[in-house]
Amino acid sequence: MSFPDVVVTGIGATTPLGGDAKSTWDGLVAGRSGVTKLQGDWSERFDLDVRIAAHLAVEPTEVLPRVEARRLDRCEQVALVAAREAWADAGRPEVDPERLAVVVGTGIGGALTILHQDDLLEEHGKRKVSPLTVPMLMPNGPAAWVGLDLGSRGGVHAPVSACASGAEAMAWAWRMLRSGEVDVVVAGGAEACITSLPVAGFSQMRAMSTRNDEPERASRPFDAQRDGFVLGEGAGLLVLEREDYAKARGARVYAKLAGVGTSADAHHITAPDPEGKGAARAITKALTTGGLSPADIGHVNAHATSTPVGDVAEAIAIQSSVGSHPVITAPKSALGHLLGGSGAVESMATVLSLHHGVVPPTLNLENLDPRVQLDVVAGEARDVKLEAAVNDSFGFGGHNVALAFTRV
């Protein structure tokens, strides 16, 4: 039995580097950082150890109509902004609504809504609680609103796999398209939870950088002096289509999503398998389903959050599954960690690396950890002739997702 190939025909994003895909990509290639001091006074009020974050470069309320924005949690807002850009970039396909699906993952969902509405309930009673509270806080909210916006009747799904959610959405879309269930899927991830409780929780885990005096230098994947991730916010959405369908309508194609791989560590609720075995299995599955060999892979867009344990485990996984030859980059050094949105935004970056033959630099890599035996791009972007690349994503709970892309 033959399965249809899956191609990327549209991209959209809103991130700490820019309010759209182009400005985000340009920022990555230029080596700009989106990390700044935390906005608001709550970090001082709660005496938090972390005082930095990667806030959105463009407020979604400046893009969306005011009335619409008020009905949405910030996580839902960024998903809609990115989805509309991706849909327009794909040429607004005239697809049968029953052959159109949406898959948008998130790690946390409407955190800002649930915390704000709880404050209102505590301070003013039930009459101040919004009747839109539940639609705004539910983790499937971003997917649901994108589905409503596009009129999708082929399915609306919301994988919640912590920081692998956006990548898992892409894998889910790939399987739907390969099965012939639908013709077009808008897939990706969204997250917006820069507020006191998530920051305090991650900080208490000692997972976040406290390089508060040097925000732009705080996220330093694979560097020997890394001390944790920087929380970011944003969304990335891609339009995926069956290749035959895309060709029939004359669509511009960026790249092919050739294969996907998923696995679970079964090791620890937050810590990765230190030997990277689960991550390596996911990467190997992505190559196998894509009909690729390790030698085919010229680039890996790494999850690399800048945590002491995670970066080394990932480096071991890449080396054992693909080898030491691919050119590596770690976008979280510039974007911060977008949690459920990261895998999708970084998939977009992987696609554009293939499309343009350019790998963005990893920021703040001054002293490569000797345990990382990889070719990590630092300093400036590197021109590389690429035919195939992998984007990997991992999440609390032991979720591992790898996506293999190829040139067309």
Side-chain angles (χ1 to χ4, degrees), residues 387-405:
E387 295 299 328
V390 167
N391 175 42
D392 56 30
S393 297
F394 316 117
F396 282 177
H399 304 281
N400 304 303
V401 180
L403 308 170
F405 296 91

Side-chain angles (χ1 to χ4, degrees), residues 191-281:
E191 205 79 81
C193 62
I194 301 177
T195 191
S196 55
L197 187 59
V199 172
F202 282 127
S203 178
Q204 288 296 97
M205 293 172 61
R206 302 290 189 268
M208 300 182 74
S209 173
T210 55
R211 198 181 289 261
N212 298 317
D213 296 332
E214 301 177 296
E216 294 184 352
R217 289 166 49 80
S219 183
R220 41 202 318 113
F222 299 125
D223 189 83
Q225 301 302 314
R226 65 192 182 279
D227 69 331
F229 73 86
V230 175
L231 184 60
E233 58 181 351
L237 275 290
L238 284 73
V239 177
L240 303 174
E241 304 184 35
R242 288 195 353 253
E243 185 177 37
D244 58 334
Y245 185 87
K247 284 183 176 179
R249 71 178 189 89
R252 179 266 324 277
V253 173
Y254 285 103
K256 181 185 297 184
L257 177 52
V260 307
T262 60
S263 71
D265 281 354
H267 172 74
H268 189 271
I269 192 63
T270 57
D273 180 338
E275 297 181 5
K277 293 179 180 177
R281 287 197 306 275

Side-chain angles (χ1 to χ4, degrees), residues 280-292:
R281 287 197 306 275
I283 295 172
T284 297
K285 287 181 181 180
L287 301 188
T288 300
T289 57
L292 299 166

Side-chain angles (χ1 to χ4, degrees), residues 334-355:
L335 294 165
H337 192 351
L338 278 56
L339 304 183
S342 62
V345 172
E346 291 167 22
S347 289
M348 179 197 76
T350 308
V351 165
L352 291 176
S353 284
L354 280 169
H355 188 67

Side-chain angles (χ1 to χ4, degrees), residues 27-211:
L28 285 171
V29 173
R32 290 195 293 107
S33 173
V35 182
T36 61
K37 293 284 187 180
L38 272 170
Q39 298 171 6
D41 64 354
W42 46 264
S43 59
E44 289 83 5
R45 182 153 45 95
F46 294 115
D47 192 28
L48 299 182
D49 294 330
V50 175
R51 306 291 174 92
I52 55 178
H55 296 279
L56 287 171
V58 176
E59 283 296 313
T61 51
E62 297 176 11
V63 180
L64 299 171
R66 182 174 62 86
V67 174
E68 182 179 42
R70 289 181 61 186
R71 300 169 58 196
L72 306 171
D73 181 80
R74 189 174 179 86
C75 183
E76 297 167 340
Q77 291 173 356
V78 295
L80 264 186
V81 169
R84 287 173 178 173
E85 181 193 2
W87 193 247
D89 188 50
R92 295 184 171 88
E94 294 183 3
V95 58
D96 179 349
E98 295 187 10
R99 302 287 296 174
L100 170 64
V102 168
V103 189
V104 182
T106 182
I108 295 177
L112 300 186
T113 290
I114 194 168
L115 293 172
H116 176 59
Q117 294 299 321
D118 183 66
D119 287 344
L120 292 176
L121 178 63
E122 294 283 352
E123 295 172 16
H124 304 289
K126 66 181 182 181
R127 294 186 182 277
K128 287 292 184 179
V129 174
S130 170
L132 297 174
T133 295
V134 173
M136 292 172 71
L137 67 83
M138 60 191 192
N140 66 311
W145 279 111
V146 172
L148 285 167
D149 196 57
L150 297 177
S152 165
R153 296 176 184 168
V156 173
H157 306 284
V160 179
S161 305
C163 304
S165 301
E168 186 145 345
M170 305 280 291
W172 198 324
W174 181 83
R175 290 175 178 132
M176 293 182 74
L177 289 162
R178 294 264 289 180
S179 72
E181 186 177 348
V182 292
D183 298 321
V184 180
V185 183
V186 178
E191 205 79 81
C193 62
I194 301 177
T195 191
S196 55
L197 187 59
V199 172
F202 282 127
S203 178
Q204 288 296 97
M205 293 172 61
R206 302 290 189 268
M208 300 182 74
S209 173
T210 55
R211 198 181 289 261

